[in-house]
Amino acid sequence: MKALFINHCHPDTPHVCAIRMKSFAQAMADKGHQILLLTESVDCEKSEENSETISQSLMNHNWSRPFVLSIAPEFDSFITRLRQRKLVFGIRQLVILLCYLNHSGVFCDWSKGAFKYRDLLKNYFRPQVIWATFGNSDCWKIAQYMSYQMGIPWVADIKDNWEAFIPRGMSTMIANRFNDMAALTAFSLSHKDQVKRIFNRNAEVIYSGFSDILVDGNYSVSVKRIMVTGSLYDLKKFQILVFGILLWIKKRSFNPKEIEFRYAGKDLEIFDKVSRSLKGYCAIIVDNYLEIEELRRLQAGAW
């Protein structure tokens, strides 16, 4: 089978966003399928390859591994400034609103770039099915467009929380724009429940694997590390977690130097606001961007 996989993150990106589709693409290739993984180019840099070069590479490719087609976004000054957080409050919200209303996503500069590869994919790869993951809705938009143009089914995968990434009030509208998918897959049972609620459809749960790699966590006997990783999503639930940790520390009268409360994720505002109650009771550490190997070492060393 020939399958087109779509994910925003390039497989070389040292981040969890790349792992699911990269791993499944290789797993399918190992089973003898021909897989083309379409992503955004690393750091949005323009590729020096042209259509003729790519078509030649496709014909000569060793399909024991996926073919990675990385596409640079079309330049858009407003989108670029939006990503760089250079738009003032009000204008920023307006640009996001218009992107979703007119383009169903905020990575429309990348999806526009991808649309230009329709003929190349149709003529030189000729996929039989498309599988696109929601990290962002533009992955689905590309899949939907390619599906229509090539007359093949597309399958929507959900690896991230739809309600956390789609603006409030627009969830149902955006979901309805993608109701032509042939099937849905989901990262977990909770994602499956979300699919039933938002899309009124059933989803097949396909769990992501975890590499069977022995990780040295450098476990410290003297410091008990509590590690929080990833998006926090819900302020109230995180408050409950932190309150429970605070009660636990107080009850056992730990020395503040014995406990390390550590966060690796992007919800810094929520973390900072809630974790203030722990100050004076433990060390609070916020990590900047971590590559996956370092993140695993910290997690493996957690108490």
Side-chain angles (χ1 to χ4, degrees):
M1 178 178 70
K2 290 185 175 183
L4 172 62
F5 283 19
I6 302 174
N7 185 35
H8 190 211
C9 290
H10 190 280
D12 290 343
T13 306
H15 190 274
V16 68
C17 67
I19 293 176
R20 180 172 171 85
M21 296 300 275
K22 175 176 70 173
S23 300
F24 276 114
Q26 185 58 58
M28 291 288 282
D30 290 342
K31 291 183 176 295
H33 302 291
Q34 295 184 15
I35 307 299
L36 189 150
L37 176 58
L38 186 154
T39 72
E40 187 177 77
S41 56
V42 179
D43 297 327
C44 301
E45 291 182 355
K46 289 283 185 182
S47 173
E48 294 182 0
E49 291 187 309
N50 55 38
S51 294
E52 184 177 340
T53 305
I54 295 171
S55 61
Q56 191 65 39
S57 298
L58 278 168
M59 288 188 285
N60 297 327
H61 185 65
N62 176 3
W63 292 102
S64 63
R65 64 184 189 276
F67 185 98
V68 178
L69 177 59
S70 56
I71 298 169
E74 294 286 300
F75 178 74
D76 185 305
S77 60
F78 273 106
I79 297 296
T80 300
R81 290 163 66 192
L82 176 68
R83 304 250 167 78
Q84 295 173 346
R85 298 186 176 275
K86 291 183 178 179
L87 296 178
V88 298
F89 183 83
I91 298 296
R92 174 182 173 81
Q93 283 68 27
L94 179 61
V95 170
I96 292 173
L97 176 64
L98 291 175
C99 281
Y100 275 105
L101 285 174
N102 297 327
H103 306 290
S104 300
V106 292
F107 291 91
C108 43
D109 51 345
W110 174 55
S111 57
K112 285 177 183 176
F115 292 162
K116 294 183 177 180
Y117 288 79
R118 175 199 63 186
D119 291 339
L120 183 144
L121 292 171
K122 184 177 182 179
N123 296 329
Y124 292 96
F125 182 59
R126 295 183 288 276
Q128 296 164 279
V129 67
I130 302 170
W131 191 41
T133 193
F134 175 80
N136 64 63
S137 53
D138 282 275
C139 291
W140 286 11
K141 185 178 177 182
I142 295 168
Q144 186 181 53
Y145 173 82
M146 296 293 183
S147 168
Y148 178 78
Q149 294 294 325
M150 299 180 193
I152 59 174
W154 74 282
V155 179
D157 178 61
I158 291 189
K159 71 177 180 67
D160 286 321
N161 187 330
W162 177 271
E163 292 172 322
F165 287 91
I166 301 298
R168 290 181 182 178
M170 305 189 78
S171 175
T172 301
M173 180 190 73
I174 300 300
N176 288 339
R177 291 181 179 181
F178 295 111
N179 62 10
D180 61 336
M181 76 271 284
L184 279 144
T185 57
F187 175 80
S188 69
L189 289 173
S190 63
H191 288 73
K192 179 177 180 176
D193 291 340
Q194 193 177 75
V195 166
K196 288 181 179 178
R197 186 173 67 256
I198 295 172
F199 295 89
N200 195 28
R201 299 272 293 270
N202 193 27
E204 184 76 20
V205 175
I206 304 179
Y207 293 111
S208 290
F210 192 88
S211 300
D212 188 16
I213 300 173
L214 188 63
V215 180
D216 179 10
N218 297 322
Y219 182 81
S220 172
V221 176
S222 60
V223 178
K224 296 175 172 62
R225 177 186 303 151
I226 301 171
M227 185 87 189
V228 178
T229 305
S231 298
L232 301 175
Y233 298 121
D234 192 306
L235 175 65
K236 291 183 178 179
K237 288 181 180 178
F238 186 56
Q239 285 174 328
I240 292 170
L241 172 66
V242 171
F243 181 65
I245 292 171
L246 179 61
L247 290 180
W248 170 76
I249 292 174
K250 285 181 175 180
K251 186 173 182 179
R252 285 158 181 79
S253 301
F254 283 112
N255 185 308
K257 294 181 180 179
E258 291 182 76
I259 306 294
E260 176 184 288
F261 189 55
R262 192 162 193 150
Y263 177 59
K266 65 178 183 178
D267 287 335
L268 300 179
E269 188 176 340
I270 293 177
F271 181 83
D272 180 64
K273 181 178 181 179
V274 177
S275 64
R276 289 173 190 169
S277 61
L278 292 174
K279 287 185 177 179
Y281 293 96
C282 65
I284 300 172
I285 301 173
V286 176
D287 291 293
N288 291 322
Y289 178 83
L290 296 173
E291 294 198 359
I292 193 71
E293 291 80 9
E294 178 60 20
L295 176 62
R296 285 182 179 177
R297 279 193 289 272
L298 288 170
Q299 290 172 331
W303 181 65

